[in-house]
Amino acid sequence: MSTQHADAPDVSGLSIGILGGTGDQGKGLARRFALAGHEVIIGSRNAERAQQAADSLGEGATARGAENAAVAREADVVIVAVPWDGHKATLESLRAELAGKIVIDCVNPLGFDKQGAYALPVEEGSAAQQAAAILPDSTVVAAFHHVSAVVLLDPEIDQVDLDVLVLGDDREATNTVQALADRVKGMRGVYGGRLRNAHQIEALTANLISINRRYKAHAGLRVTDV
Amino acid sequence: MSTQHADAPDVSGLSIGILGGTGDQGKGLARRFALAGHEVIIGSRNAERAQQAADSLGEGATARGAENAAVAREADVVIVAVPWDGHKATLESLRAELAGKIVIDCVNPLGFDKQGAYALPVEEGSAAQQAAAILPDSTVVAAFHHVSAVVLLDPEIDQVDLDVLVLGDDREATNTVQALADRVKGMRGVYGGRLRNAHQIEALTANLISINRRYKAHAGLRVTDV
């Protein structure tokens, strides 16, 4: 069932930039948006590594690579998929390029020890709120936290069977990001609350990692009754 | 699909006590466990109010009421469904009665303002961890956070269509609680990680409340690929 009404924006023409697109999560999202027909630009600190990642997305998934700054400047919508320890510095360096854009944060601040994953405390409350604090001239939306990179990158998997919780304080922006999630086969964007409730969505990734270990699965979430 | 193997414990004979069972969440769980054939004892500070709640569960759902202390003493497994602001004091007063038992905490520490619900900070990390700190001689498991009381209490709803994330540090106890969740028609218990990752599960209830408002739904979660 769609979670949007007739006012769902047409996002089919939006180009999507992915900062930190050489990591598995970034590459996986790049692959699925390219398969859905979007212009995708993979970003990295190193343009050559970005291009290598873009060339590795597999059959039917066309993308190009560029330095993060060029990606932030050129793409209509920008996904932040950098490692948590580079999150703050990367965004601080791209404030001007990201101004006026929707910035989708999918970063999960997690620590790992022998008992598995756990949520790291974040001064601003969450990675998404940190992004919003660093980027006052952008519209930050939190989404795509729980998508398994393994699933996204698996050429055998046609449908990505899960809901993407989309959080933000700007209705137009969350509608846009929900519509983007809907573009990926099997995926559905579901509004998930305001940015102040992003921490638990990011942290929930630690639980999904526990579930994956216990059940040898690539767990995702579906929201029932919606 | 069941999430347990042949070693799933037989929990059909366990009696279930519900502290704070006069609230909607407690009453809803009482109703469903009674319908599943369990002996259910609803607890309250006031035995008479407990009995009134027990008498109000609807057709086919038989339970009895008692003071919280008697419930804690008599029941095989005890669910804590008190309001967050009574959580600490209630558990501190029942330490002896709860010793040696599985205590299932389903309390969500939430605040509300005109923008909706948000997670309250908890010194111990989460309500479940607070319970574990107060009850060193009990085995605390976190579960049943996301079950809509409205759904549980609705006589028209036969199947409660959602997964219950079950968190804890003791495998035998989480297996038992998963098996208890499995007893409710439509419900499935899924292991969801250690107690240190309980905060985000409790806090996620704020997001579900946002989802319910946006979509006029009673949202629950299903875990995919498990």
Side-chain angles (χ1 to χ4, degrees), chain A residues 3 113 115-119 161-162 165 167 171 174-175 178 189-194 196-201 203-204 206-208 210-211 214-215 217-226, chain B residues 3 113 115-119 161-162 165 167 171 174-175 178 189-194 196-201 203-204 206-208 210-211 214-215 217-226:
Chain A
T3 56
D113 61 20
Q115 295 195 332
Y118 59 93
D161 177 29
L162 49 75
L165 292 170
L167 287 79
R171 178 77 176 250
T174 55
N175 281 350
Q178 284 179 246
V190 175
Y191 173 72
R194 291 176 170 269
R196 68 174 181 176
N197 283 320
H199 165 74
Q200 53 265 32
I201 302 301
L204 187 61
N207 302 78
L208 291 173
S210 303
I211 293 171
R214 172 66 60 93
Y215 299 109
H218 300 295
L221 294 178
R222 283 286 190 199
V223 180
T224 61
D225 198 35
V226 165
Chain B
T3 56
D113 61 20
Q115 295 195 330
Y118 58 94
D161 176 30
L162 50 74
L165 292 170
L167 287 79
R171 177 76 176 250
T174 56
N175 281 350
Q178 285 180 245
V190 176
Y191 174 73
R194 291 176 170 268
R196 68 174 181 176
N197 282 319
H199 166 74
Q200 53 264 33
I201 302 302
L204 186 61
N207 302 78
L208 291 173
S210 303
I211 292 171
R214 173 65 59 92
Y215 299 109
H218 301 295
L221 295 179
R222 282 286 190 199
V223 180
T224 61
D225 198 36
V226 165

Coordinates of all heavy atoms in Angstrom, one line a residue, chain A residues 3 113 115-119 161-162 165 167 171 174-175 178 189-194 196-201 203-204 206-208 210-211 214-215 217-226, chain B residues 3 113 115-119 161-162 165 167 171 174-175 178 189-194 196-201 203-204 206-208 210-211 214-215 217-226:
Chain A
T3 N 2.0 5.0 0.9 CA 1.8 5.8 2.0 C 1.6 7.3 1.6 O 1.6 8.1 2.5 CB 3.0 5.7 3.0 OG1 4.2 6.1 2.2 CG2 3.2 4.3 3.5
D113 N 31.8 -4.1 20.1 CA 32.7 -4.9 20.9 C 32.4 -6.4 20.8 O 31.6 -6.7 19.9 CB 32.7 -4.4 22.4 CG 31.3 -4.5 23.0 OD1 30.5 -5.3 22.5 OD2 31.0 -3.8 24.0
Q115 N 30.5 -8.2 22.4 CA 29.0 -8.5 22.5 C 28.2 -8.0 21.3 O 27.0 -8.0 21.4 CB 28.5 -7.9 23.8 CG 29.1 -8.5 25.1 CD 28.4 -8.2 26.3 OE1 27.7 -7.2 26.4 NE2 28.4 -9.1 27.3
G116 N 28.9 -7.4 20.4 CA 28.1 -6.9 19.2 C 28.1 -5.4 19.1 O 29.0 -4.7 19.5
A117 N 27.0 -4.9 18.5 CA 26.9 -3.5 18.2 C 26.2 -2.8 19.3 O 25.3 -3.4 20.0 CB 26.2 -3.3 16.9
Y118 N 26.4 -1.5 19.5 CA 25.7 -0.7 20.4 C 25.7 0.8 19.9 O 26.5 1.1 19.1 CB 26.3 -0.8 21.8 CG 27.7 -0.4 21.9 CD1 28.1 0.9 22.3 CD2 28.7 -1.3 21.6 CE1 29.4 1.3 22.3 CE2 30.1 -0.9 21.7 CZ 30.4 0.4 22.1 OH 31.7 0.8 22.1
A119 N 24.7 1.5 20.4 CA 24.6 2.9 19.9 C 25.6 3.8 20.7 O 25.8 3.7 21.9 CB 23.2 3.4 20.2
D161 N 12.8 -5.9 0.0 CA 11.6 -6.0 0.7 C 11.6 -5.4 2.1 O 11.7 -6.0 3.1 CB 11.3 -7.6 0.9 CG 10.0 -7.8 1.7 OD1 9.1 -7.0 1.7 OD2 10.0 -8.9 2.3
L162 N 11.4 -4.1 2.2 CA 11.4 -3.4 3.5 C 10.8 -2.0 3.4 O 10.7 -1.4 2.3 CB 12.7 -3.4 4.2 CG 13.9 -2.9 3.4 CD1 14.0 -1.4 3.3 CD2 15.2 -3.3 4.2
L165 N 12.0 4.1 7.0 CA 11.5 5.2 7.8 C 12.1 6.5 7.5 O 13.3 6.6 7.4 CB 11.7 4.8 9.3 CG 10.9 3.6 9.8 CD1 11.3 3.2 11.2 CD2 9.4 4.0 9.8
L167 N 12.4 10.5 8.4 CA 12.2 11.4 9.5 C 12.7 12.8 9.1 O 13.7 13.0 8.4 CB 13.0 11.0 10.7 CG 12.4 9.8 11.5 CD1 12.8 8.5 10.8 CD2 12.9 9.8 12.9
R171 N 7.8 18.9 5.8 CA 6.9 17.9 5.1 C 7.2 17.7 3.7 O 7.1 16.6 3.2 CB 5.4 18.4 5.3 CG 4.3 17.6 4.7 CD 4.1 16.3 5.5 NE 3.0 15.5 4.9 CZ 1.8 15.4 5.5 NH1 1.5 16.0 6.6 NH2 0.9 14.6 5.0
T174 N 10.3 15.5 3.5 CA 10.0 14.1 3.8 C 9.2 13.4 2.7 O 9.4 12.2 2.4 CB 9.4 13.9 5.2 OG1 8.2 14.6 5.3 CG2 10.3 14.3 6.3
N175 N 8.2 14.1 2.1 CA 7.5 13.6 1.0 C 8.4 13.2 -0.1 O 8.2 12.2 -0.8 CB 6.4 14.6 0.6 CG 5.2 14.6 1.5 OD1 5.0 13.8 2.3 ND2 4.3 15.6 1.2
Q178 N 10.4 10.1 0.8 CA 9.5 8.9 0.7 C 9.3 8.5 -0.7 O 9.4 7.3 -1.0 CB 8.1 9.2 1.3 CG 8.1 9.3 2.9 CD 6.8 9.6 3.4 OE1 6.5 10.6 4.0 NE2 5.8 8.7 3.2
G189 N 8.6 4.1 1.3 CA 9.0 5.1 2.3 C 7.8 5.4 3.2 O 6.7 5.5 2.8
V190 N 8.1 5.4 4.5 CA 7.0 5.6 5.5 C 7.5 6.8 6.4 O 8.6 6.7 6.9 CB 6.8 4.4 6.4 CG1 5.8 4.7 7.5 CG2 6.3 3.2 5.5
Y191 N 6.7 7.8 6.5 CA 7.0 8.9 7.5 C 7.2 8.3 8.9 O 6.4 7.5 9.3 CB 5.9 9.9 7.5 CG 6.1 11.0 8.5 CD1 7.1 12.0 8.3 CD2 5.4 11.0 9.7 CE1 7.4 12.9 9.3 CE2 5.6 12.0 10.6 CZ 6.6 13.0 10.4 OH 6.8 13.9 11.4
G192 N 8.3 8.7 9.5 CA 8.7 8.1 10.8 C 8.8 9.0 11.9 O 9.3 8.6 13.0
G193 N 8.5 10.3 11.7 CA 8.6 11.3 12.9 C 9.5 12.4 12.6 O 10.1 12.5 11.5
R194 N 9.7 13.3 13.6 CA 10.6 14.4 13.5 C 12.0 14.0 13.7 O 12.3 13.0 14.3 CB 10.1 15.5 14.5 CG 8.8 16.1 14.2 CD 8.3 17.1 15.2 NE 7.2 17.8 14.7 CZ 7.3 18.9 14.1 NH1 8.5 19.5 13.9 NH2 6.2 19.5 13.6
R196 N 14.0 15.0 15.9 CA 14.3 14.8 17.3 C 14.1 13.4 17.7 O 14.6 12.9 18.8 CB 13.5 15.7 18.2 CG 12.0 15.4 18.3 CD 11.3 16.3 19.3 NE 9.9 15.9 19.4 CZ 9.1 16.5 20.3 NH1 9.6 17.4 21.2 NH2 7.8 16.1 20.4
N197 N 13.4 12.6 16.9 CA 13.2 11.2 17.2 C 14.1 10.3 16.3 O 13.8 9.1 16.0 CB 11.8 10.8 17.1 CG 11.0 11.2 18.4 OD1 11.5 11.1 19.5 ND2 9.8 11.7 18.2
A198 N 15.2 10.9 15.7 CA 16.1 10.1 14.8 C 17.0 9.2 15.6 O 17.4 8.2 15.1 CB 16.8 11.1 13.9
H199 N 17.4 9.6 16.8 CA 18.4 8.8 17.5 C 18.0 7.3 17.5 O 18.8 6.4 17.2 CB 18.6 9.3 18.9 CG 19.4 8.3 19.8 ND1 20.7 8.1 19.6 CD2 19.0 7.4 20.7 CE1 21.1 7.1 20.4 NE2 20.1 6.7 21.1
Q200 N 16.8 7.0 17.9 CA 16.4 5.6 18.1 C 16.4 4.9 16.8 O 16.6 3.6 16.8 CB 15.1 5.5 18.9 CG 14.0 6.2 18.4 CD 13.8 7.6 19.1 OE1 14.8 8.2 19.5 NE2 12.6 8.1 19.2
I201 N 16.1 5.6 15.7 CA 16.1 4.9 14.4 C 17.5 4.5 14.0 O 17.8 3.5 13.5 CB 15.5 5.9 13.3 CG1 14.0 6.2 13.8 CG2 15.5 5.2 12.0 CD1 13.1 5.1 13.9
A203 N 20.0 4.1 16.2 CA 20.5 3.1 17.1 C 19.9 1.7 16.9 O 20.5 0.7 17.2 CB 20.1 3.6 18.6
L204 N 18.7 1.7 16.3 CA 18.0 0.4 16.1 C 18.8 -0.5 15.2 O 18.6 -1.7 15.2 CB 16.6 0.7 15.5 CG 15.6 -0.4 15.2 CD1 15.2 -1.0 16.5 CD2 14.4 0.1 14.5
A206 N 21.7 -1.3 15.6 CA 22.4 -2.2 16.5 C 21.6 -3.5 16.7 O 22.1 -4.6 16.7 CB 22.8 -1.6 17.8
N207 N 20.3 -3.3 16.9 CA 19.4 -4.4 17.2 C 19.2 -5.3 15.9 O 19.2 -6.5 16.0 CB 18.0 -3.9 17.6 CG 18.0 -3.0 18.8 OD1 18.4 -1.9 18.8 ND2 17.7 -3.6 20.0
L208 N 19.2 -4.6 14.8 CA 19.1 -5.4 13.5 C 20.3 -6.2 13.3 O 20.2 -7.4 12.8 CB 18.8 -4.5 12.4 CG 17.4 -3.8 12.4 CD1 17.3 -2.8 11.2 CD2 16.3 -4.8 12.2
S210 N 22.1 -7.5 15.8 CA 21.9 -8.7 16.7 C 20.9 -9.7 16.1 O 21.1 -10.9 16.2 CB 21.3 -8.2 18.0 OG 22.1 -7.2 18.6
I211 N 19.8 -9.2 15.5 CA 18.9 -10.1 14.8 C 19.6 -10.9 13.7 O 19.4 -12.1 13.5 CB 17.7 -9.3 14.3 CG1 16.9 -8.7 15.5 CG2 16.8 -10.1 13.4 CD1 15.8 -7.7 15.1
R214 N 21.7 -13.6 15.2 CA 21.0 -14.7 15.8 C 20.3 -15.6 14.7 O 20.3 -16.8 14.8 CB 19.9 -14.1 16.7 CG 18.9 -15.1 17.3 CD 19.5 -16.2 18.2 NE 20.2 -15.7 19.4 CZ 19.6 -15.5 20.6 NH1 18.4 -15.8 20.8 NH2 20.3 -15.0 21.6
Y215 N 19.7 -14.9 13.7 CA 18.9 -15.7 12.7 C 19.7 -15.9 11.4 O 19.0 -16.4 10.4 CB 17.6 -15.0 12.5 CG 16.8 -14.9 13.8 CD1 16.6 -13.7 14.4 CD2 16.2 -16.0 14.3 CE1 15.8 -13.6 15.6 CE2 15.5 -16.0 15.5 CZ 15.3 -14.7 16.1 OH 14.6 -14.6 17.3
A217 N 20.3 -13.7 9.1 CA 19.4 -13.1 8.2 C 20.0 -11.7 7.8 O 21.0 -11.3 8.2 CB 18.1 -12.9 8.9
H218 N 19.2 -11.1 6.9 CA 19.5 -9.7 6.6 C 18.2 -9.0 6.9 O 17.4 -8.7 6.0 CB 19.9 -9.5 5.1 CG 21.1 -10.2 4.8 ND1 22.4 -9.9 5.3 CD2 21.4 -11.2 3.9 CE1 23.3 -10.7 4.8 NE2 22.7 -11.5 4.0
A219 N 18.0 -8.7 8.2 CA 16.7 -8.3 8.6 C 16.4 -6.8 8.2 O 17.3 -6.0 8.1 CB 16.6 -8.4 10.1
G220 N 15.1 -6.6 7.9 CA 14.6 -5.3 7.6 C 13.3 -5.1 8.4 O 12.8 -6.0 9.0
L221 N 12.7 -3.9 8.3 CA 11.4 -3.7 9.0 C 10.3 -3.4 8.0 O 10.5 -2.8 6.9 CB 11.6 -2.5 9.9 CG 12.6 -2.6 11.1 CD1 12.6 -1.3 11.8 CD2 12.2 -3.7 12.0
R222 N 9.1 -3.9 8.4 CA 7.9 -3.5 7.7 C 7.0 -2.9 8.8 O 7.0 -3.4 9.9 CB 7.2 -4.6 7.1 CG 7.7 -5.1 5.8 CD 7.4 -4.2 4.6 NE 7.8 -4.8 3.3 CZ 8.0 -4.0 2.2 NH1 7.8 -2.7 2.2 NH2 8.3 -4.6 1.1
V223 N 6.3 -1.8 8.4 CA 5.4 -1.2 9.4 C 4.0 -1.7 9.0 O 3.6 -1.6 7.9 CB 5.4 0.3 9.3 CG1 4.4 1.0 10.3 CG2 6.8 0.9 9.5
T224 N 3.3 -2.3 10.0 CA 2.0 -2.9 9.8 C 0.9 -1.8 9.9 O 1.1 -0.8 10.6 CB 1.7 -4.1 10.7 OG1 1.7 -3.5 12.1 CG2 2.8 -5.1 10.6
D225 N -0.2 -2.1 9.3 CA -1.4 -1.2 9.4 C -1.2 0.1 8.7 O -2.0 1.1 8.9 CB -1.9 -1.0 10.8 CG -3.3 -0.5 10.9 OD1 -4.1 -1.0 10.1 OD2 -3.6 0.3 11.8
V226 N -0.2 0.3 7.9 CA 0.1 1.5 7.2 C 0.2 1.2 5.7 O 0.9 0.2 5.4 CB 1.4 2.2 7.6 CG1 1.8 3.2 6.7 CG2 1.2 2.8 9.0
Chain B
T3 N 10.5 -18.3 14.9 CA 11.9 -17.9 15.1 C 12.6 -18.8 16.1 O 13.7 -18.5 16.5 CB 11.9 -16.5 15.7 OG1 11.1 -16.4 16.8 CG2 11.4 -15.5 14.6
D113 N 4.7 16.7 24.1 CA 4.4 18.1 24.0 C 3.6 18.3 22.7 O 3.1 17.4 22.1 CB 5.7 18.9 24.0 CG 6.7 18.6 22.8 OD1 6.2 18.0 21.8 OD2 7.8 18.9 22.9
Q115 N 4.4 18.9 19.8 CA 4.9 18.3 18.6 C 4.8 16.7 18.7 O 5.3 16.0 17.8 CB 6.4 18.7 18.4 CG 6.5 20.2 18.1 CD 7.9 20.5 17.5 OE1 8.9 19.8 17.9 NE2 7.9 21.5 16.7
G116 N 4.2 16.2 19.7 CA 4.0 14.8 19.8 C 4.9 14.2 20.9 O 5.2 14.8 21.9
A117 N 5.3 12.9 20.7 CA 6.0 12.1 21.7 C 7.5 12.2 21.4 O 7.9 12.4 20.3 CB 5.5 10.7 21.7
Y118 N 8.2 12.1 22.5 CA 9.7 12.0 22.4 C 10.2 11.2 23.5 O 9.6 11.0 24.5 CB 10.3 13.4 22.4 CG 10.0 14.2 23.6 CD1 10.9 14.2 24.7 CD2 8.8 14.9 23.7 CE1 10.6 14.9 25.9 CE2 8.5 15.7 24.9 CZ 9.4 15.7 25.9 OH 9.1 16.4 27.1
A119 N 11.4 10.6 23.3 CA 12.0 9.8 24.3 C 12.6 10.6 25.5 O 13.3 11.6 25.3 CB 13.1 8.9 23.7
D161 N -1.4 -8.6 14.5 CA -0.4 -8.8 13.4 C 0.9 -8.0 13.6 O 1.1 -7.0 13.0 CB -1.1 -8.4 12.1 CG -0.2 -8.4 10.9 OD1 0.7 -9.3 10.8 OD2 -0.4 -7.6 9.9
L162 N 1.8 -8.5 14.4 CA 3.1 -7.9 14.5 C 4.1 -8.8 15.2 O 3.8 -9.8 15.8 CB 2.9 -6.5 15.3 CG 2.2 -6.5 16.6 CD1 3.0 -7.1 17.7 CD2 1.9 -5.1 17.0
L165 N 9.7 -7.6 19.6 CA 11.1 -7.7 19.8 C 11.4 -8.0 21.3 O 10.9 -7.3 22.2 CB 11.8 -6.4 19.4 CG 11.7 -6.1 17.9 CD1 12.2 -4.7 17.6 CD2 12.6 -7.1 17.1
L167 N 14.3 -8.6 24.2 CA 15.7 -8.2 24.4 C 16.1 -8.7 25.8 O 15.3 -8.6 26.8 CB 15.9 -6.7 24.4 CG 15.9 -6.1 23.0 CD1 14.5 -5.9 22.5 CD2 16.7 -4.8 23.0
R171 N 19.7 -16.1 27.6 CA 19.1 -16.8 26.5 C 17.8 -17.6 26.8 O 16.8 -17.6 26.1 CB 20.1 -17.8 25.8 CG 19.7 -18.6 24.6 CD 19.6 -17.7 23.4 NE 19.2 -18.5 22.2 CZ 20.0 -18.7 21.2 NH1 21.2 -18.3 21.2 NH2 19.6 -19.4 20.1
T174 N 15.0 -15.1 27.3 CA 14.5 -14.5 26.1 C 13.7 -15.6 25.3 O 12.7 -15.3 24.7 CB 15.6 -13.8 25.2 OG1 16.6 -14.8 24.9 CG2 16.1 -12.6 25.9
N175 N 14.2 -16.8 25.3 CA 13.4 -17.9 24.6 C 12.1 -18.0 25.2 O 11.1 -18.2 24.5 CB 14.2 -19.2 24.8 CG 15.4 -19.3 23.8 OD1 15.5 -18.5 22.9 ND2 16.2 -20.3 23.9
Q178 N 9.9 -15.1 24.1 CA 9.5 -15.2 22.7 C 8.4 -16.2 22.6 O 7.4 -16.0 21.9 CB 10.7 -15.7 21.9 CG 11.7 -14.6 21.6 CD 12.9 -15.2 20.8 OE1 14.0 -15.3 21.3 NE2 12.6 -15.6 19.6
G189 N 7.4 -13.7 18.6 CA 8.5 -13.2 19.3 C 9.8 -13.3 18.5 O 10.1 -14.3 18.0
V190 N 10.5 -12.2 18.4 CA 11.8 -12.2 17.7 C 12.9 -11.7 18.6 O 12.7 -10.6 19.2 CB 11.7 -11.3 16.4 CG1 13.1 -11.2 15.7 CG2 10.6 -11.8 15.5
Y191 N 13.9 -12.4 18.8 CA 15.0 -11.9 19.6 C 15.5 -10.6 19.0 O 15.7 -10.5 17.8 CB 16.2 -12.9 19.6 CG 17.4 -12.4 20.3 CD1 17.5 -12.3 21.7 CD2 18.6 -12.1 19.6 CE1 18.6 -11.8 22.3 CE2 19.7 -11.6 20.2 CZ 19.7 -11.4 21.6 OH 20.8 -10.9 22.2
G192 N 15.7 -9.6 19.9 CA 16.1 -8.3 19.4 C 17.3 -7.7 20.0 O 17.6 -6.5 19.8
G193 N 18.1 -8.5 20.7 CA 19.4 -7.9 21.2 C 19.5 -7.9 22.7 O 18.6 -8.4 23.4
R194 N 20.6 -7.4 23.2 CA 20.9 -7.4 24.6 C 20.2 -6.2 25.3 O 19.8 -5.2 24.6 CB 22.4 -7.3 24.9 CG 23.1 -8.5 24.5 CD 24.6 -8.4 24.7 NE 25.2 -9.7 24.5 CZ 25.4 -10.5 25.5 NH1 25.2 -10.1 26.8 NH2 25.9 -11.7 25.3
R196 N 21.4 -3.8 26.8 CA 22.0 -2.5 26.6 C 21.5 -1.8 25.3 O 21.7 -0.6 25.1 CB 23.5 -2.6 26.5 CG 24.0 -3.4 25.3 CD 25.5 -3.3 25.2 NE 26.0 -4.0 24.0 CZ 27.3 -4.1 23.6 NH1 28.2 -3.5 24.4 NH2 27.7 -4.7 22.6
N197 N 20.8 -2.5 24.5 CA 20.2 -2.0 23.3 C 18.7 -1.8 23.4 O 17.9 -1.8 22.4 CB 20.5 -2.8 22.0 CG 21.9 -2.5 21.6 OD1 22.4 -1.3 21.6 ND2 22.7 -3.5 21.2
A198 N 18.2 -1.7 24.7 CA 16.8 -1.6 24.9 C 16.3 -0.2 24.7 O 15.1 0.1 24.4 CB 16.4 -2.1 26.3
H199 N 17.1 0.8 25.0 CA 16.7 2.2 24.9 C 16.0 2.5 23.6 O 14.9 3.1 23.6 CB 17.8 3.2 25.1 CG 17.5 4.6 24.7 ND1 16.6 5.4 25.5 CD2 17.7 5.3 23.6 CE1 16.4 6.5 24.9 NE2 17.1 6.5 23.8
Q200 N 16.6 2.2 22.5 CA 16.0 2.6 21.2 C 14.7 1.8 20.9 O 13.9 2.4 20.2 CB 17.0 2.4 20.1 CG 17.7 1.0 20.0 CD 19.0 1.0 20.7 OE1 19.2 1.6 21.7 NE2 19.9 0.1 20.2
I201 N 14.6 0.7 21.5 CA 13.3 -0.1 21.3 C 12.2 0.6 22.1 O 11.1 0.8 21.6 CB 13.4 -1.5 21.8 CG1 14.6 -2.2 21.0 CG2 12.1 -2.3 21.6 CD1 14.4 -2.2 19.5
A203 N 12.3 3.8 22.9 CA 12.1 5.2 22.3 C 11.4 5.1 21.0 O 10.7 6.1 20.6 CB 13.5 5.8 22.1
L204 N 11.5 4.0 20.3 CA 10.9 3.8 19.0 C 9.4 4.0 19.1 O 8.7 4.3 18.1 CB 11.2 2.5 18.4 CG 10.8 2.1 17.0 CD1 11.5 3.0 16.0 CD2 11.2 0.6 16.7
A206 N 7.9 6.4 20.3 CA 7.6 7.7 19.9 C 7.4 7.8 18.4 O 6.5 8.5 17.9 CB 8.7 8.7 20.4
N207 N 8.2 7.1 17.7 CA 8.1 7.1 16.2 C 6.8 6.5 15.8 O 6.1 6.9 14.9 CB 9.3 6.4 15.6 CG 10.6 7.1 16.0 OD1 11.1 6.8 17.1 ND2 11.2 7.9 15.1
L208 N 6.4 5.4 16.4 CA 5.2 4.7 16.1 C 4.0 5.6 16.4 O 3.0 5.6 15.6 CB 5.1 3.4 16.9 CG 6.1 2.3 16.4 CD1 6.0 1.1 17.3 CD2 5.9 1.9 15.0
S210 N 4.1 8.9 16.1 CA 4.1 9.8 14.9 C 3.5 9.1 13.7 O 2.7 9.8 13.0 CB 5.5 10.2 14.6 OG 6.1 10.8 15.7
I211 N 3.8 7.9 13.5 CA 3.3 7.2 12.3 C 1.8 7.0 12.5 O 1.0 7.2 11.5 CB 3.9 5.8 12.2 CG1 5.4 5.9 11.9 CG2 3.2 4.9 11.2 CD1 6.3 4.7 11.9
R214 N 0.1 10.3 11.6 CA 0.2 10.7 10.2 C -0.8 9.8 9.4 O -1.4 10.3 8.5 CB 1.6 10.5 9.7 CG 1.8 10.7 8.2 CD 1.6 12.1 7.7 NE 2.4 13.2 8.2 CZ 3.5 13.6 7.7 NH1 4.0 13.1 6.6 NH2 4.2 14.6 8.3
Y215 N -0.8 8.5 9.7 CA -1.6 7.6 8.8 C -2.9 7.2 9.4 O -3.5 6.3 8.9 CB -0.7 6.4 8.5 CG 0.6 6.8 7.7 CD1 1.8 6.7 8.3 CD2 0.5 7.3 6.4 CE1 3.0 7.1 7.6 CE2 1.7 7.6 5.7 CZ 2.9 7.5 6.4 OH 4.0 7.9 5.7
A217 N -3.4 5.2 11.9 CA -3.2 3.8 12.0 C -2.9 3.3 13.4 O -2.8 4.2 14.3 CB -2.0 3.4 11.1
H218 N -2.8 2.0 13.6 CA -2.2 1.5 14.8 C -1.0 0.6 14.4 O -1.1 -0.6 14.2 CB -3.2 0.6 15.5 CG -4.5 1.3 15.9 ND1 -4.4 2.4 16.8 CD2 -5.7 1.3 15.5 CE1 -5.7 2.9 17.0 NE2 -6.5 2.2 16.2
A219 N 0.1 1.3 14.1 CA 1.2 0.7 13.5 C 1.9 -0.3 14.4 O 2.0 -0.1 15.6 CB 2.2 1.8 13.1
G220 N 2.4 -1.3 13.8 CA 3.3 -2.3 14.5 C 4.5 -2.6 13.6 O 4.5 -2.1 12.5
L221 N 5.4 -3.4 14.0 CA 6.5 -3.8 13.2 C 6.5 -5.2 12.9 O 6.1 -6.1 13.7 CB 7.8 -3.5 14.0 CG 8.1 -2.0 14.3 CD1 9.4 -1.9 15.1 CD2 8.2 -1.2 13.0
R222 N 7.0 -5.5 11.7 CA 7.4 -6.9 11.3 C 8.8 -6.9 10.9 O 9.3 -5.9 10.3 CB 6.6 -7.4 10.1 CG 5.1 -7.8 10.4 CD 5.1 -9.2 11.2 NE 3.7 -9.7 11.3 CZ 3.4 -10.6 12.2 NH1 4.2 -11.1 13.0 NH2 2.1 -11.0 12.2
V223 N 9.6 -7.9 11.3 CA 10.9 -8.0 10.9 C 11.0 -8.9 9.7 O 10.5 -10.0 9.7 CB 11.8 -8.6 12.0 CG1 13.3 -8.8 11.6 CG2 11.7 -7.8 13.3
T224 N 11.6 -8.4 8.6 CA 11.7 -9.2 7.4 C 12.9 -10.1 7.4 O 13.9 -9.9 8.1 CB 11.7 -8.3 6.1 OG1 12.9 -7.5 6.2 CG2 10.5 -7.4 6.1
D225 N 12.8 -11.2 6.5 CA 13.9 -12.1 6.4 C 14.2 -13.0 7.6 O 15.2 -13.6 7.7 CB 15.2 -11.4 5.9 CG 16.2 -12.4 5.2 OD1 15.7 -13.3 4.6 OD2 17.4 -12.2 5.4
V226 N 13.3 -13.0 8.5 CA 13.4 -13.8 9.8 C 12.2 -14.6 9.9 O 11.1 -14.1 9.7 CB 13.6 -12.9 11.0 CG1 13.4 -13.7 12.3 CG2 14.9 -12.2 11.0

